[in-house]
Amino acid sequence: MTNFSKNIPRLYLVKISKWFNMVMPIMLLFIESNSMGTYELFVLKAIYSVAIVTMEIPSGWMADVWGRKKTLVLGSILGSAGFLIYSFSYGFWAFVIAEIILGIGHSFVSGADSAMLYDSLKADNKTNKYVREEGRITSAGNFAEAIAGVIGGLLAAISFRTPFYFQFAVAALAIPVAITMVEPKIHTTEHVHSIKKLVKNIRDTFISNQNLRVAILLSAVTGTATLTFAWFVQPFFKAIDLPVELFGVFWTALNLTVGISSVFAYKFELFLGKKWSILFIIILLTAGYILSGIKVSYGGFVFLFMFYLVRGIATPILKNYINEHTASEVRATMLSVRNFVIRIAFAGIGPLLGWITDNISLNKALIFAGLIYLVSAILVSLPWLKQKD
């Protein structure tokens, strides 16, 4: 009998390979070294998001039909190819091509990895361990990103391009790891094999299944907020004149905070319960935006760390709500719908926030983003917040 739990350590390695991101902490500096600014950075990341949006749901459908393993392998190949192109490119449009390939590669991994985890546990009758494992894998990814921040900063001392060379090698490590995974049996009597059924399942989600709709939208709105905040960190560092050599150090510290809190996310949700967990997440993430916007100074680091602490708690909890309300045959698709909403929302709001940062102020951009998140999160979660405990 196959022990599908053997997939779990491999999922850790895929997550680490994906999140061991040595280029993210110095991305703004790299962009500026090529005569661009915050606006261009947000535009590039918006293009990356559009690339993900284009393939997010089709890739989730492919993971459900073609198999989680195959899509993870393909995503790993494309992810490494994107960094290879970045390593030898210089102009804006070359960066655009790299971001598109990275975005497509990301879409094939996101959703498929969480679906592989849940269904591997389900095959071994261990679904009760999902939040714990998702939290630990998320934590491993954040610890990897934290370590990568320091290494990326050191490599950037050689040149801002050097981290990209090493990033390609790290990303390529996910390819053999994904190849060695074992595809779990999908627990259903009817599989979704047609685009017509795919569209029907997505439509039914947002019309008839209120719990799944709320779970996806709340997780997506929160995911957009955390993604956007991550790209505000470097402008924040610049605004307070943090020495370049310390970018990686503080980036590491922030991601260690996420890594630590992710490990304890399942205990946090058990202690507070569903409604209070949701309110806690919404209120503190909003406060992180607004307070860091009010205090763009070294003292504002307190609010950055607070935001990252709550981010680590939010991700596994909100992803689990999606898994609780969806079936195995469409699990990757529904998780991809979540990522689709995140990326299309970021593509819409990111360039605007980048423009506000460059032309008005970082303070106003952060406060504006926080208010948008607060209103959006409350609106989508109202059906759950109205429920009695």
Side-chain angles (χ1 to χ4, degrees):
M1 184 177 177
T2 304
N3 181 3
F4 293 100
S5 294
K6 290 181 179 179
N7 286 332
I8 295 176
R10 292 172 173 81
L11 287 169
Y12 274 86
L13 291 173
V14 168
K15 175 69 78 172
I16 290 170
S17 176
K18 181 181 173 184
W19 282 41
F20 197 90
N21 197 325
M22 292 173 281
V23 305
M24 191 170 177
I26 53 90
M27 194 70 186
L28 179 60
L29 302 176
F30 174 76
I31 291 296
E32 289 181 338
S33 72
N34 285 274
S35 304
M36 293 174 254
T38 304
Y39 172 71
E40 285 80 10
L41 173 63
F42 273 85
V43 169
L44 283 169
K45 292 305 165 184
I47 290 169
Y48 172 76
S49 291
V50 170
I52 292 174
V53 163
T54 303
M55 288 302 298
E56 189 63 70
I57 295 176
S59 67
W61 174 72
M62 288 177 68
D64 286 328
V65 175
W66 191 32
R68 286 87 157 99
K69 175 181 174 178
K70 291 179 182 177
T71 51
L72 286 170
V73 171
L74 180 57
S76 299
I77 292 170
L78 291 173
S80 57
F83 285 116
L84 181 63
I85 293 171
Y86 242 127
S87 298
F88 299 100
S89 301
Y90 290 86
F92 177 79
W93 291 107
F95 296 162
V96 167
I97 293 171
E99 291 289 353
I100 290 171
I101 292 174
L102 285 170
I104 295 172
H106 177 95
S107 70
F108 276 99
V109 174
S110 68
D113 54 358
S114 291
M116 174 68 90
L117 171 61
Y118 194 89
D119 283 325
S120 294
L121 290 169
K122 190 168 185 176
D124 289 335
N125 297 312
K126 297 178 181 177
T127 53
N128 61 310
K129 296 183 178 180
Y130 173 79
V131 175
R132 187 186 70 180
E133 293 297 343
E134 183 73 64
R136 287 177 175 177
I137 290 174
T138 299
S139 176
N142 281 283
F143 280 123
E145 189 173 10
I147 295 168
V150 174
I151 296 174
L154 294 173
L155 292 173
I158 301 172
S159 76
F160 291 140
R161 191 167 296 274
T162 303
F164 285 90
Y165 302 143
F166 284 83
Q167 191 63 53
F168 161 69
V170 170
L173 292 175
I175 300 171
V177 172
I179 289 173
T180 61
M181 290 185 187
V182 180
E183 189 75 38
K185 179 182 178 182
I186 295 180
H187 300 260
T188 180
T189 55
E190 181 184 4
H191 207 331
V192 182
H193 286 291
S194 69
I195 295 296
K196 183 178 179 181
K197 287 183 179 179
L198 168 66
V199 173
K200 181 179 182 298
N201 272 284
I202 295 173
R203 186 187 67 232
D204 289 348
T205 295
F206 287 94
I207 294 176
S208 61
N209 192 336
Q210 184 188 71
N211 283 327
L212 183 53
R213 178 173 70 249
V214 173
I216 289 173
L217 291 177
L218 179 58
S219 182
V221 168
T222 302
T224 305
T226 58
L227 172 65
T228 305
F229 197 87
W231 287 112
F232 269 125
V233 169
Q234 290 174 62
F236 187 95
F237 288 172
K238 277 200 66 189
I240 65 173
D241 295 321
L242 184 73
V244 172
E245 57 270 22
L246 294 180
F247 271 45
V249 174
F250 277 94
W251 187 266
T252 294
L254 287 169
N255 283 287
L256 282 174
T257 304
V258 179
I260 293 168
S261 61
S262 293
V263 173
F264 300 102
Y266 74 102
K267 290 185 178 180
F268 176 87
E269 204 258 355
L270 284 173
F271 177 73
L272 280 186
K274 185 175 182 179
K275 182 186 293 187
W276 287 106
S277 294
I278 292 169
L279 282 171
F280 179 91
I281 289 166
I282 293 172
I283 291 170
L284 287 192
L285 290 184
T286 300
Y289 264 109
I290 293 175
L291 294 175
S292 60
I294 292 173
K295 197 170 183 64
V296 179
S297 66
Y298 277 89
F301 269 115
V302 173
F303 307 120
L304 263 65
F305 278 100
M306 179 185 74
F307 187 97
Y308 271 71
L309 179 74
V310 182
R311 172 187 168 186
I313 293 169
T315 301
I317 288 175
L318 298 182
K319 271 190 178 182
N320 187 55
Y321 291 155
I322 297 173
N323 282 308
E324 286 179 347
H325 296 290
T326 192
S328 291
E329 70 269 20
V330 292
R331 192 178 315 285
T333 301
M334 291 303 120
L335 288 166
S336 287
V337 169
R338 166 197 180 267
N339 296 326
F340 175 93
V341 177
I342 289 174
R343 293 298 172 173
I344 202 166
F346 179 80
I349 195 69
L352 173 61
L353 294 173
W355 184 88
I356 293 173
T357 301
D358 280 344
N359 295 279
I360 302 178
S361 72
L362 175 62
N363 308 66
K364 288 183 172 58
L366 282 165
I367 293 170
F368 178 57
L371 293 174
I372 290 175
Y373 170 66
L374 175 63
V375 173
S376 301
I378 292 293
L379 286 176
V380 301
S381 61
L382 269 179
W384 282 356
L385 296 177
K386 288 180 178 178
Q387 293 175 358
K388 294 182 179 181
D389 290 331

